[in-house]
Structures are given as C-alpha cells and as structure tokens.
Amino acid sequence: MKLLIFGATGGTGRQLVDQALAQGHEVTAFVRNPAKMPTQHEKLKVVKGNVKDCHSVGAAVASQDAVFSALGVRFNWLPLILAVVVSQVLVRTIAMPRWLHLLTDIGLPVLALLYTARTPPVVSEATKCILAAMEREGTKLFICESSLGVGDSNGQLGAFYNYFFIPVLLRHVFADKEVQEKVIQSSHVEWVIVRPGALTNGPRTGKYRAGFPVNDKSIAGSISRADTAEFMLRQLTDSTYLRKTPGLSY
C-alpha cells in the first residue's frame, strides 16, 4: 500500500516509517526538516513541507491509500533554562528581602515553565488540512495517534498526569488533541484514533492491551512507541476499531 506519514521524524513517526517499510509498503514521509529523517530506503520518499500549509499537505495526500498522523508538539525549553540560571545568579549575588528571594528563586522559573507550556493548536489545524485533502482526493483511511487522557479516557493516566502534568504542563497540548479528535470524528473519511498511554522508547514487544474500557484502572498507563506504531499499522487490515478510539497500554 501507499502510505503517507505525518510527524515522521518524531519517536512514533520513525517507528511507523521503519515498520511500514519492513512490511513492504511504499512510504511517503512528510517532514519539515529532511535532515532529521535518518532512514534511507528505495520505497521511501521524503517530502519537505509545513503541516500548516494546506497546499503542500494536499499535494502529499494525492494518490495515497492511507494516511497516518503521529504529529506532536516539541517544547522550547530555552526560556525555562534561562529563567533558572538567571534566578540562581540573582539570589546568590544580590542582597534582597526573604520574600523577594523566594519570589525570584521560585516564581521566575514557574512563570517561565507556564510560558513554555503555552503551545499553539498546531495538531488540530494540521489535521483539518489533512482531512480536507483526503476528502478531496478520495483517500479513505486516516489513522491518528492521540493520547490516553483525551475525550472519554480523561483521568486514565493516573494521579500525577491528572492533577499536575496535564493541567499544568500539557493543558494546551491536550486541549489541541481534544479539538483534533472532534475534527476527525466529524469528517467523512474512515478513521481510527489510537490513544496510547505515556510513550516510552522501549522495544517492540507485540504484547499490549488495546480497546480496554475507559474506566479500567488496571492498565500500566504506558507503552513503547514501537508497539504503538505496530498497532497503528495493524489498522490497515483490521477493521475492529474503525471509527473508534482504542486505548493502548501494557
């Protein structure tokens, strides 16, 4: 099959590319920076483009049999690093009242952390471009990586994610994914939204749980990117989860 992969230079995206090629598929990797795509293969075509440019997205979608999205957001940690360094220099070199000392030592990094966590809705906007192109070109199947904690799986990642990581650090990221899922579900293509737990760089095992109830508390809450990619590729020939949002975890 001819497969188009968005987010091909990310952790899951690279696994999708390598595993799809190993299965004999013809793969088009849509990337912003081709230099970050280390894989070379006679059946791999690397297309440079911006996911926010609907014209280039549409050109890539043409003639594909299925489209995969492993799009995500990379944080710019530089403001946080600078804030920590500056705050430590200030509290160690300038005499100041205790309240100001605490405010500088803790408040400045916290503000920088909150600033870093602000991310634009890249994923949902890109998905709108992808789906519009698919409907226009007649490409039928869209397989998208989302996350546990989105939609009716809210709260399934555990207390640390539920009460700190998502509301403080990933609030904008998960809000973007919420919109993305709604856009997909209202589209006219066939789709599968895969919701993996916390992603790791562990090996491909082929042993994981999928499609468990959203109130299942027995899951580990994590899964490797390699196993996530394997499950996503299985959806090419397995209609069990068509128009569904299976969770994925060990």
Side-chain angles (χ1 to χ4, degrees):
M1 297 179 69
K2 294 182 178 180
L3 310 180
L4 173 61
I5 300 173
F6 290 93
T9 57
T12 305
R14 289 187 182 186
Q15 287 289 335
L16 281 170
V17 170
D18 291 344
Q19 292 185 36
L21 290 170
Q23 293 176 15
H25 298 292
E26 295 181 31
V27 177
T28 299
F30 189 96
V31 300
R32 183 170 54 184
N33 183 359
K36 293 184 177 181
M37 172 50 64
T39 303
Q40 294 184 342
H41 195 281
E42 61 181 6
K43 289 189 175 183
L44 173 63
K45 177 182 179 182
V46 179
V47 174
K48 181 180 180 180
N50 189 322
V51 291
K52 293 182 288 185
D53 177 7
C54 291
H55 177 73
S56 61
V57 168
V61 167
S63 77
Q64 302 292 338
D65 295 314
V67 177
F68 288 79
S69 172
L71 291 170
V73 176
R74 288 187 174 90
F75 289 102
N76 177 15
W77 296 106
L78 182 60
L80 178 60
I81 295 171
L82 290 175
V84 171
V85 171
V86 169
S87 67
Q88 294 306 304
V89 169
L90 289 176
V91 298
R92 284 167 171 74
T93 58
I94 300 176
M96 59 183 70
R98 182 171 177 77
W99 68 268
L100 187 56
H101 183 286
L102 289 173
L103 182 63
T104 304
D105 194 23
I106 300 173
L108 190 58
V110 168
L111 288 174
L113 181 61
L114 294 176
Y115 173 80
T116 300
R118 295 182 61 190
T119 55
V122 174
V123 172
S124 59
E125 292 300 315
T127 301
K128 292 176 184 177
C129 285
I130 294 168
L131 291 170
M134 290 181 65
E135 292 177 359
R136 185 172 61 250
E137 297 293 335
T139 306
K140 299 296 184 183
L141 183 59
F142 184 52
I143 302 167
C144 180
E145 178 188 45
S146 181
S147 175
L148 280 182
V150 179
D152 59 2
S153 69
N154 181 32
Q156 207 164 13
L157 280 175
F160 178 71
Y161 277 86
N162 297 343
Y163 300 111
F164 174 72
F165 210 56
I166 293 175
V168 176
L169 298 181
L170 300 177
R171 179 164 59 92
H172 295 282
V173 172
F174 272 69
D176 193 17
K177 288 183 179 293
E178 293 277 0
V179 175
Q180 179 193 35
E181 287 200 4
K182 291 177 182 177
V183 169
I184 296 170
Q185 290 166 354
S186 63
S187 71
H188 298 293
V189 305
E190 299 294 339
W191 53 265
V192 180
I193 297 173
V194 179
R195 292 174 173 169
L199 292 165
T200 74
N201 290 321
R204 177 182 172 188
T205 68
K207 299 177 181 179
Y208 46 81
R209 298 175 60 190
F212 40 79
V214 294
N215 59 354
D216 189 338
K217 303 300 183 183
S218 66
I219 61 171
S222 64
I223 188 167
S224 71
R225 293 174 172 87
D227 277 335
T228 300
E230 179 192 79
F231 179 79
M232 291 176 72
L233 285 166
R234 278 175 47 195
Q235 308 316 302
L236 292 170
T237 56
D238 186 348
S239 62
T240 302
Y241 297 109
L242 202 60
R243 291 190 167 270
K244 294 180 181 179
T245 56
L248 204 59
S249 178
Y250 295 128

